[in-house]
Amino acid sequence: MKIAFVGKGGSGKTTLSALFVRHLALRGRQVVAIDADINQHLGAALGLDEHQTAALPSMGEHLSELKDYLRGDNPRITSSAAMVKTTPPGAGSRLLRVGGDDPFHTKLATEVRVGAGSPDVALMATGPFTEDDLGVACYHSKTGAVELYLNHLVDGPGEYVVVDMTAGADTFASGLFTRFDLLVLVAEPTWKGVGVYRQYVDYAADYDVAISVVGNKVHGEGDVAYLREHVGGDLLTWMEHSAAVRALEQGRGDVTLEASNEAALACLLDAVDVRPKDWPKFHRQAVEFHVKNARSWANRAVGEDLEAQIDPDFTGEAYRPQ
């Protein structure tokens, strides 16, 4: 399952992403965690120190190599330079498997141990916004590697990809928001928190995107009632204000999460596990956004008609794990 954590800046989405990754790994699940936020803090939230976090390979710096690998011998893609972030797979493209023998997992993933006896988490990062990027590039040039990864990924039962997305409505600045089985909106019980929820629901309304709300920094029944009033049935669960989380954020590893917050993470996992896997819709939306990007900018940028990259015989059924 592919899960994205979204929300306004400061809502706690990175912290909750890391807590959910830990929850999965400690239960023996195979997890890929991806830091796709312009502020790269997921590694630190998973226990890496400052030097380890800074040393994480940048997906955004390897786009040419990644495109060349994914292209394979697909005759519809004339070169890796003609492959853009929305290019969907077709006959001859290389599909990915979680933990597979490919550049994403062997070169760009860093193994992170989050608990004794648990499988390592494969952590990937888009890479931070650098001084060379200032004034000449947008952050979507970095997240394009994540979009290509998800477009070509065949995730099977017991496999999870958890993505910490960039904050705010910028999540919807590309088709990346349709690449997930569930968008988890982390919302504080404030008017700003629920305002972001309304904005997200409006943006996602025409794309059949599943959104569930997890309340965060909840102090009591009044906060829960406020969230219920403003987000209704989309409120899945909530995380109470947590001394354990504060200790984790201070770098302590010998911390036990409160029972109520463990129960909230278990509720979230249950909701993820019952999500239906809709491969035809996944591929259909990939094609839809590729056409939209081709017509709006990519054809001009590449100098080709990129709609010709769409393989009419490649359907969502090709993604199903064998």
Side-chain angles (χ1 to χ4, degrees):
M1 301 298 283
K2 305 179 182 80
I3 309 104
F5 283 83
V6 299
K8 74 175 185 66
S11 63
K13 66 176 184 60
T14 298
T15 298
L16 195 52
S17 298
L19 288 173
F20 190 58
V21 167
R22 289 175 183 272
H23 187 80
L24 290 168
L26 291 172
R27 282 151 186 80
R29 310 298 176 92
Q30 191 169 10
V31 188
V32 174
I34 301 179
D35 193 341
D37 194 351
I38 192 169
N39 299 305
Q40 302 269 284
H41 297 311
L42 184 59
L46 289 171
L48 299 185
D49 62 31
E50 180 180 352
H51 299 292
Q52 291 170 319
T53 301
L56 290 172
S58 169
M59 298 173 73
E61 293 179 0
H62 295 269
L63 265 176
S64 180
E65 175 188 354
L66 298 175
K67 288 177 179 180
D68 197 51
Y69 177 83
L70 293 174
R71 176 188 169 218
D73 58 4
N74 184 337
R76 293 178 176 274
I77 304 173
T78 57
S79 69
S80 59
M83 193 172 183
V84 295
K85 64 181 181 178
T86 55
T87 297
S93 296
R94 290 190 175 103
L95 297 180
L96 306 170
R97 292 302 306 260
V98 170
D101 184 17
D102 59 74
F104 286 94
H105 297 103
T106 62
K107 185 173 183 176
L108 300 177
T110 299
E111 294 186 349
V112 178
R113 179 62 54 86
V114 298
S118 66
D120 289 342
V121 170
L123 173 63
M124 291 189 276
T126 57
F129 216 51
T130 66
E131 186 174 339
D132 291 340
D133 297 321
L134 296 176
V136 297
C138 76
Y139 192 62
H140 302 119
S141 63
K142 309 278 187 182
T143 58
V146 181
E147 194 162 351
L148 282 168
Y149 173 76
L150 296 175
N151 270 351
H152 291 76
L153 181 68
V154 180
D155 48 306
E159 298 172 343
Y160 300 81
V161 179
V162 179
V163 181
D164 180 22
M165 296 282 282
T166 191
D170 200 48
T171 293
F172 293 91
S174 74
L176 186 55
F177 74 95
T178 67
R179 304 295 80 203
F180 301 97
D181 299 293
L182 183 66
L183 288 183
V184 178
L185 172 60
V186 182
E188 298 171 89
T190 64
W191 67 268
K192 286 184 179 179
V194 298
V196 170
Y197 162 77
R198 296 192 191 98
Q199 190 178 37
Y200 276 37
V201 168
D202 287 345
Y203 287 153
D206 295 331
Y207 297 99
D208 191 20
V209 172
I211 299 178
S212 289
V213 177
V214 174
N216 197 30
K217 306 176 188 177
V218 168
H219 282 269
E221 280 301 320
D223 284 349
V224 175
Y226 182 87
L227 288 168
R228 283 196 175 117
E229 177 186 356
H230 290 280
V231 309
D234 285 339
L235 180 63
L236 175 63
T237 187
W238 55 90
M239 298 287 290
E240 296 177 357
H241 185 74
S242 171
V245 169
R246 177 59 59 87
L248 285 169
E249 291 177 336
Q250 292 171 345
R252 289 176 50 191
D254 56 337
V255 175
T256 301
L257 199 62
E258 298 86 355
S260 60
N261 288 330
E262 283 286 4
L265 294 174
C267 176
L268 175 55
L269 177 54
D270 288 343
V272 167
D273 281 346
V274 300
R275 291 292 310 163
K277 198 71 175 176
D278 193 340
W279 289 116
K281 183 182 80 170
F282 182 78
H283 184 66
R284 183 176 67 251
Q285 289 178 330
V287 169
E288 175 183 350
F289 274 91
H290 183 61
V291 169
K292 183 179 293 189
N293 278 265
R295 294 176 179 177
S296 65
W297 66 269
N299 285 347
R300 293 192 306 274
V302 175
E304 294 182 20
D305 177 11
L306 297 187
E307 291 183 56
Q309 294 178 341
I310 299 168
D311 183 347
D313 296 322
F314 188 96
T315 69
E317 294 303 313
Y319 285 101
R320 293 190 186 278
Q322 301 300 314

